[in-house]
Amino acid sequence: MSYADVNGLHLWYETHGSGQPLVLLHGGYGAVEMFAPILPALTQRRRVIAVDLQGHGRTADVDRPLRYETMADDVAALLRHLDLSGADVLGYSLGGGVALRTAIQHPALVRRLVMVSTPCRRQGWYPEVLAAMAAQDARVGEQMRGTPPHELYARVAPRPEDWPQLWARTGDLLRREYDWSAEVAALTVPTMLVYADADSIPVTHMAEFFGLLGGGHRDAGWDGSDRPTARLAVLPGLTHYDIVASPALPAAVLPFLTHQVRPPE
């Protein structure tokens, strides 16, 4: 458990287990504890490096906006700080966006990429989810005091009084339009998408995202030789809010991380 000083940020990270490095990036308003239920399964086979992103958990905010692109630069700087290249990166929700931007902006540092409950463009969320995101601000943050995410933040954050600011900055991030479709289509990093069957993202967007990665365009053939490099998993009986704690998640992800995949054409 330590801090790395990168890009003007005092970035918290934790290391567990041994083996090929796997970086974990949590969702909005969370921290490394978000992965606690699945950490034992992951550390049986991987060296896990869990990160508290800017303004979250033990990483204090700094004087810059909250953006996927800059948080991705922070992750890349951490990998260089740790002298790691070819690390696998798994991100959930907001952390999935950061993971994707890390692979886009620093492809040489990412060996394999896993995104959990993540769209590739802002309009990939259900309309009611977008409406809820648009309403997030400091006032809503005040209303969320006493909830489990706030209790964790109050316990571990260097400045617990920054809780409303985290909501204000996250709301500003979530209201910004983005569409990374063209950059996704150009990715060469082997990528896996994982969703719940009752996610905050419609199945149509899951299929669109998978298609941009080369999946879903043809039959794999009797011997699987035409299987795409990308993989897609839709986990049954789960939602956007409980998928990250389900044992079904490491069960789906670990084979992708550990098995040989066909290089992209």
Side-chain angles (χ1 to χ4, degrees), residues 29 132 134-145 163-164 167-168:
Y29 311 111
Q136 293 178 19
D137 56 18
R139 177 185 56 83
V140 174
E142 292 289 353
Q143 295 171 356
M144 294 297 290
R145 289 186 182 274
W163 176 250
W167 279 78

Side-chain angles (χ1 to χ4, degrees), residues 107 111 183-191 229 263-265:
R111 173 180 172 269
E183 291 162 297
V184 166
L187 277 178
T188 58
V189 175
T191 300
T229 301
E265 296 176 355

